[in-house]
Amino acid sequence: SQSGKGGIAYVLESEYGIELPKEAQAEFATVVQQITDNSGREILSKDIYQAFLTTYIESMDPFNLVDYDMQKDSTKTVVL
């Protein structure tokens, strides 16, 4: 629901200082909904925060560097 998406974003921002972009709110609401459905109860703000960490920060999927272009600019700073 819209209030669910907004509520999740509000909890993350007000309690943990995390501003979830609008585009990500619906995606993350689905994650939280699955947790709620599996637990059979409403979840606490700490559960929402842990779900955020697990989903976006502590992901076990490694990042892969696909390509890069390295050059120096006029200040001799390396730009990737």
Side-chain angles (χ1 to χ4, degrees):
S1 73
Q2 189 62 35
S3 62
K5 292 178 224 170
I8 292 165
Y10 176 79
V11 166
L12 287 174
E13 186 171 355
S14 67
E15 296 192 23
Y16 300 99
I18 298 168
E19 294 182 38
L20 196 61
K22 285 209 178 282
E23 298 81 14
Q25 289 180 17
E27 175 185 308
F28 188 58
T30 303
V31 171
V32 173
Q33 186 64 51
Q34 287 176 339
I35 294 168
T36 303
D37 291 346
N38 291 339
S39 70
R41 63 175 178 83
E42 290 189 22
I43 63 174
L44 305 173
S45 61
K46 67 178 183 154
D47 300 322
I48 294 172
Y49 179 64
Q50 186 57 53
F52 175 82
L53 292 178
T54 302
T55 302
Y56 298 112
I57 307 300
E58 300 168 350
S59 176
M60 297 303 294
D61 296 330
F63 291 98
N64 292 318
L65 178 62
V66 176
D67 192 12
Y68 71 95
D69 180 20
M70 193 164 84
Q71 44 188 292
K72 290 184 181 180
D73 66 12
S74 60
T75 63
K76 305 227 187 292
T77 302
V78 175
V79 179
L80 295 176

